[in-house]
Amino acid sequence: MRAGKRMARYGWLAALAAMAVVTLFRLVVAAWVPLTPDEAYYRLWALAPAAGYFDHPPMVALWIRLGMLVAGDTPLGLRMMGPLSAAFGTLLLAHAGALWLRQPDGRPDWRVGARVALLLNATLAIGLGVIIMTPDTALIFFVTLMLWSLSWLCAGGPVWLWLVVGLAAGLGCDSKYSMLLPVGGMGLWLFGSRAGRLWLRKPWPWLAGCVSLLCVMPVVLWNAHHAWGGFVRQGGRLLDWQPARALVFLSELLGGQVGLASGLVFVLFVGGCVRLWRKRDGFSALLLCTILCPLAVFLQHALGARVQANWPVVVYPACTLAAGLWRPRWWKSAVWLGGIMTLVIMGQAAFAPLPLPVRVDVTLRQMGGWSELAHAVQARAAEGYSGQAPVLMTENYGLAGELAFYAQNTQVVAVEPRWALFDIPRPACGQQGELLRPVQDKEAPDPHVFEVLGPASAPVARARRGMIAEWYVMLPVRLRCQPGEVVVGNAASLPVRRS
């Protein structure tokens, strides 16, 4: 017995050391690679704190803000919480697997926990996803926290863990509305299974629901005061219906998950879920519900519209636990394949050793050349503003975020209806500046918003090591906004970095 405890202790120490090394490596990569447009956009959220936003709940902004308090307004500051939360979440999921799939003598099986941890981090969704700050980063952590609490409860843990379940569910909904899907699966288990109904006779699950409601109430109130903008945007997707293209959407959904789960890990996910179906204990049924409920919604959505590849990552923690049921001889090959794929993509994002065209290089499309583009258009715009700071304008929210981050000491004006929900200063009508647009935008700027003052400039490229990501042109314009017609957000006074 003592030998077993000693081995378990040393095993956890080794796991902690390995996780620390991986986390440090991820932090270095996070500090090195440029921001994606969505990250730069979420940065503006962090600089304009609110209880909700048009696209998502506010947790991603809070996490960025926390990282910026430590590492400043830098790529590392924006992304710091991703690797840290992934490290803690990995340990929680490993503990959950060890508690659930115990050894014959009843002790936690730490070998299962280690395998679960390796498989989770071998997916591209985690290996790459945690160095890019998105709402999914916090979502996956809170899903993991909820599953860890439930696994301990099902293993005979203290009943107060239901409060942790409620906290995780509520904060997960504050991260992304899709948290409702695994929470719905948990509710299905509570009301539809004998083990779940036994819990409903006690007050703790009901108290967990109260904790969840308290956590999400600020988001609900924010939506109520903003015409239910966030709920309408997400809920409106349920009405999509294009059965003629369903086969295309379904194949894209499958292909996206094979890729994000690193190929062989996806096979382990499927095999684990099949074995989960055959297992009869209460936690197996609970895991199955938290997997099948989201997948049913995504499959239904794929009958009418494209399912973004990152949406189903909400089931990855549960699928990884299910994969712990299956231990084929080649499972380590799945881990190695996922790790190699992750390192190759990280290397391409950081150093671009392969001259890949933009159509096949997602790192070039998302990260390539933003700093150089911002400096080029900043210098070109300054030519028409003798002795004054230039004003850059754009109609694209991601482009506005990138310019606000990389174009130092430059006023950036973002023009799009979504800025109506931001508590940031508004530029005066009649303000002049340079409108930056992609070359492929052939339509003239909205004449109700912009008065074009001259011809477009020569195209300027966003490129990385000679590979072109996109071409842009600049137009001299004057804002011609009218009250109630268009909302213009000024991204300059809060997010512009100072050298």
mmCIF file of all heavy atoms in Angstrom, residues 437-459:
data_model
loop_
_atom_site.group_PDB
_atom_site.id
_atom_site.type_symbol
_atom_site.label_atom_id
_atom_site.label_comp_id
_atom_site.label_asym_id
_atom_site.label_seq_id
_atom_site.Cartn_x
_atom_site.Cartn_y
_atom_site.Cartn_z
ATOM 1 N N ARG A 437 -9.373 49.180 -47.048
ATOM 2 C CA ARG A 437 -10.300 48.142 -47.490
ATOM 3 C C ARG A 437 -9.547 47.066 -48.248
ATOM 4 O O ARG A 437 -8.580 47.347 -48.948
ATOM 5 C CB ARG A 437 -11.377 48.705 -48.428
ATOM 6 C CG ARG A 437 -12.043 49.969 -48.010
ATOM 7 C CD ARG A 437 -13.112 50.355 -49.004
ATOM 8 N NE ARG A 437 -14.367 49.675 -48.793
ATOM 9 C CZ ARG A 437 -15.268 49.426 -49.745
ATOM 10 N NH1 ARG A 437 -14.998 49.744 -51.008
ATOM 11 N NH2 ARG A 437 -16.400 48.826 -49.467
ATOM 12 N N PRO A 438 -9.989 45.797 -48.161
ATOM 13 C CA PRO A 438 -9.413 44.763 -49.015
ATOM 14 C C PRO A 438 -9.705 45.055 -50.480
ATOM 15 O O PRO A 438 -10.770 45.592 -50.833
ATOM 16 C CB PRO A 438 -10.113 43.481 -48.554
ATOM 17 C CG PRO A 438 -10.602 43.788 -47.171
ATOM 18 C CD PRO A 438 -10.937 45.249 -47.184
ATOM 19 N N VAL A 439 -8.776 44.711 -51.342
ATOM 20 C CA VAL A 439 -8.943 44.971 -52.776
ATOM 21 C C VAL A 439 -10.173 44.266 -53.326
ATOM 22 O O VAL A 439 -10.844 44.776 -54.227
ATOM 23 C CB VAL A 439 -7.663 44.539 -53.531
ATOM 24 C CG1 VAL A 439 -7.896 44.506 -55.028
ATOM 25 C CG2 VAL A 439 -6.511 45.476 -53.196
ATOM 26 N N GLN A 440 -10.491 43.081 -52.784
ATOM 27 C CA GLN A 440 -11.621 42.330 -53.343
ATOM 28 C C GLN A 440 -12.972 42.954 -53.032
ATOM 29 O O GLN A 440 -13.984 42.541 -53.593
ATOM 30 C CB GLN A 440 -11.608 40.875 -52.858
ATOM 31 C CG GLN A 440 -11.763 40.690 -51.370
ATOM 32 C CD GLN A 440 -10.413 40.555 -50.690
ATOM 33 O OE1 GLN A 440 -9.410 41.092 -51.155
ATOM 34 N NE2 GLN A 440 -10.389 39.822 -49.590
ATOM 35 N N ASP A 441 -13.016 43.962 -52.135
ATOM 36 C CA ASP A 441 -14.273 44.674 -51.893
ATOM 37 C C ASP A 441 -14.505 45.649 -53.036
ATOM 38 O O ASP A 441 -14.015 46.780 -53.036
ATOM 39 C CB ASP A 441 -14.210 45.430 -50.559
ATOM 40 C CG ASP A 441 -14.253 44.501 -49.368
ATOM 41 O OD1 ASP A 441 -14.445 43.294 -49.574
ATOM 42 O OD2 ASP A 441 -14.082 44.983 -48.229
ATOM 43 N N LYS A 442 -15.251 45.212 -54.034
ATOM 44 C CA LYS A 442 -15.435 46.009 -55.255
ATOM 45 C C LYS A 442 -16.481 47.099 -55.102
ATOM 46 O O LYS A 442 -16.460 48.093 -55.824
ATOM 47 C CB LYS A 442 -15.823 45.081 -56.414
ATOM 48 C CG LYS A 442 -14.807 43.986 -56.716
ATOM 49 C CD LYS A 442 -13.454 44.569 -57.103
ATOM 50 C CE LYS A 442 -12.455 43.472 -57.471
ATOM 51 N NZ LYS A 442 -11.119 44.021 -57.817
ATOM 52 N N GLU A 443 -17.421 46.918 -54.174
ATOM 53 C CA GLU A 443 -18.475 47.928 -54.019
ATOM 54 C C GLU A 443 -17.898 49.209 -53.418
ATOM 55 O O GLU A 443 -16.975 49.178 -52.598
ATOM 56 C CB GLU A 443 -19.591 47.390 -53.125
ATOM 57 C CG GLU A 443 -20.351 46.223 -53.732
ATOM 58 C CD GLU A 443 -21.514 45.806 -52.854
ATOM 59 O OE1 GLU A 443 -21.735 46.463 -51.805
ATOM 60 O OE2 GLU A 443 -22.199 44.829 -53.202
ATOM 61 N N ALA A 444 -18.465 50.333 -53.838
ATOM 62 C CA ALA A 444 -18.027 51.623 -53.291
ATOM 63 C C ALA A 444 -18.436 51.729 -51.827
ATOM 64 O O ALA A 444 -19.408 51.098 -51.394
ATOM 65 C CB ALA A 444 -18.651 52.761 -54.097
ATOM 66 N N PRO A 445 -17.711 52.489 -51.029
ATOM 67 C CA PRO A 445 -18.114 52.699 -49.630
ATOM 68 C C PRO A 445 -19.525 53.266 -49.550
ATOM 69 O O PRO A 445 -19.976 53.991 -50.451
ATOM 70 C CB PRO A 445 -17.081 53.699 -49.113
ATOM 71 C CG PRO A 445 -15.897 53.539 -50.010
ATOM 72 C CD PRO A 445 -16.450 53.194 -51.355
ATOM 73 N N ASP A 446 -20.230 52.933 -48.497
ATOM 74 C CA ASP A 446 -21.604 53.380 -48.306
ATOM 75 C C ASP A 446 -21.666 54.906 -48.381
ATOM 76 O O ASP A 446 -21.080 55.597 -47.536
ATOM 77 C CB ASP A 446 -22.105 52.900 -46.946
ATOM 78 C CG ASP A 446 -23.593 53.152 -46.748
ATOM 79 O OD1 ASP A 446 -24.177 53.940 -47.510
ATOM 80 O OD2 ASP A 446 -24.171 52.554 -45.829
ATOM 81 N N PRO A 447 -22.366 55.465 -49.366
ATOM 82 C CA PRO A 447 -22.395 56.929 -49.508
ATOM 83 C C PRO A 447 -23.123 57.624 -48.370
ATOM 84 O O PRO A 447 -22.959 58.827 -48.174
ATOM 85 C CB PRO A 447 -23.132 57.138 -50.845
ATOM 86 C CG PRO A 447 -23.942 55.900 -51.034
ATOM 87 C CD PRO A 447 -23.144 54.794 -50.426
ATOM 88 N N HIS A 448 -23.943 56.886 -47.606
ATOM 89 C CA HIS A 448 -24.590 57.493 -46.453
ATOM 90 C C HIS A 448 -23.625 57.671 -45.283
ATOM 91 O O HIS A 448 -23.911 58.413 -44.345
ATOM 92 C CB HIS A 448 -25.773 56.639 -45.989
ATOM 93 C CG HIS A 448 -26.888 56.575 -46.982
ATOM 94 N ND1 HIS A 448 -26.977 55.585 -47.941
ATOM 95 C CD2 HIS A 448 -27.953 57.389 -47.175
ATOM 96 C CE1 HIS A 448 -28.057 55.780 -48.672
ATOM 97 N NE2 HIS A 448 -28.673 56.869 -48.232
ATOM 98 N N VAL A 449 -22.496 56.969 -45.347
ATOM 99 C CA VAL A 449 -21.539 56.998 -44.247
ATOM 100 C C VAL A 449 -20.278 57.757 -44.625
ATOM 101 O O VAL A 449 -19.751 58.542 -43.833
ATOM 102 C CB VAL A 449 -21.169 55.559 -43.808
ATOM 103 C CG1 VAL A 449 -20.187 55.580 -42.640
ATOM 104 C CG2 VAL A 449 -22.418 54.771 -43.456
ATOM 105 N N PHE A 450 -19.794 57.525 -45.862
ATOM 106 C CA PHE A 450 -18.519 58.102 -46.274
ATOM 107 C C PHE A 450 -18.700 59.024 -47.474
ATOM 108 O O PHE A 450 -19.440 58.710 -48.411
ATOM 109 C CB PHE A 450 -17.528 57.001 -46.675
ATOM 110 C CG PHE A 450 -17.186 56.044 -45.572
ATOM 111 C CD1 PHE A 450 -17.708 54.759 -45.571
ATOM 112 C CD2 PHE A 450 -16.339 56.412 -44.539
ATOM 113 C CE1 PHE A 450 -17.398 53.867 -44.571
ATOM 114 C CE2 PHE A 450 -16.013 55.522 -43.532
ATOM 115 C CZ PHE A 450 -16.541 54.247 -43.548
ATOM 116 N N GLU A 451 -18.000 60.132 -47.436
ATOM 117 C CA GLU A 451 -17.821 60.969 -48.620
ATOM 118 C C GLU A 451 -16.392 60.718 -49.119
ATOM 119 O O GLU A 451 -15.416 61.028 -48.430
ATOM 120 C CB GLU A 451 -17.999 62.445 -48.276
ATOM 121 C CG GLU A 451 -17.732 63.365 -49.459
ATOM 122 C CD GLU A 451 -17.740 64.825 -49.060
ATOM 123 O OE1 GLU A 451 -18.048 65.127 -47.890
ATOM 124 O OE2 GLU A 451 -17.408 65.665 -49.930
ATOM 125 N N VAL A 452 -16.279 60.135 -50.302
ATOM 126 C CA VAL A 452 -14.970 59.819 -50.853
ATOM 127 C C VAL A 452 -14.348 61.099 -51.397
ATOM 128 O O VAL A 452 -14.941 61.802 -52.225
ATOM 129 C CB VAL A 452 -15.080 58.754 -51.953
ATOM 130 C CG1 VAL A 452 -13.704 58.462 -52.558
ATOM 131 C CG2 VAL A 452 -15.694 57.478 -51.397
ATOM 132 N N LEU A 453 -13.132 61.406 -50.964
ATOM 133 C CA LEU A 453 -12.480 62.674 -51.292
ATOM 134 C C LEU A 453 -11.447 62.555 -52.401
ATOM 135 O O LEU A 453 -10.911 63.576 -52.849
ATOM 136 C CB LEU A 453 -11.799 63.251 -50.039
ATOM 137 C CG LEU A 453 -12.707 63.464 -48.825
ATOM 138 C CD1 LEU A 453 -11.892 63.976 -47.646
ATOM 139 C CD2 LEU A 453 -13.836 64.433 -49.158
ATOM 140 N N GLY A 454 -11.141 61.355 -52.834
ATOM 141 C CA GLY A 454 -10.115 61.202 -53.850
ATOM 142 C C GLY A 454 -9.999 59.764 -54.298
ATOM 143 O O GLY A 454 -10.721 58.877 -53.817
ATOM 144 N N PRO A 455 -9.093 59.481 -55.226
ATOM 145 C CA PRO A 455 -8.937 58.124 -55.752
ATOM 146 C C PRO A 455 -8.248 57.217 -54.741
ATOM 147 O O PRO A 455 -7.591 57.667 -53.790
ATOM 148 C CB PRO A 455 -8.073 58.331 -56.997
ATOM 149 C CG PRO A 455 -7.280 59.562 -56.687
ATOM 150 C CD PRO A 455 -8.186 60.447 -55.875
ATOM 151 N N ALA A 456 -8.370 55.922 -54.985
ATOM 152 C CA ALA A 456 -7.731 54.933 -54.115
ATOM 153 C C ALA A 456 -6.221 54.946 -54.330
ATOM 154 O O ALA A 456 -5.719 55.268 -55.411
ATOM 155 C CB ALA A 456 -8.292 53.545 -54.404
ATOM 156 N N SER A 457 -5.501 54.595 -53.295
ATOM 157 C CA SER A 457 -4.047 54.514 -53.375
ATOM 158 C C SER A 457 -3.625 53.261 -54.123
ATOM 159 O O SER A 457 -4.443 52.391 -54.440
ATOM 160 C CB SER A 457 -3.463 54.475 -51.960
ATOM 161 O OG SER A 457 -3.810 53.243 -51.343
ATOM 162 N N ALA A 458 -2.366 53.166 -54.392
ATOM 163 C CA ALA A 458 -1.822 51.924 -54.927
ATOM 164 C C ALA A 458 -1.983 50.826 -53.882
ATOM 165 O O ALA A 458 -1.909 51.084 -52.678
ATOM 166 C CB ALA A 458 -0.341 52.108 -55.274
ATOM 167 N N PRO A 459 -2.235 49.599 -54.300
ATOM 168 C CA PRO A 459 -2.449 48.521 -53.326
ATOM 169 C C PRO A 459 -1.236 48.310 -52.438
ATOM 170 O O PRO A 459 -0.086 48.481 -52.844
ATOM 171 C CB PRO A 459 -2.698 47.297 -54.212
ATOM 172 C CG PRO A 459 -3.148 47.847 -55.528
ATOM 173 C CD PRO A 459 -2.409 49.132 -55.691
#
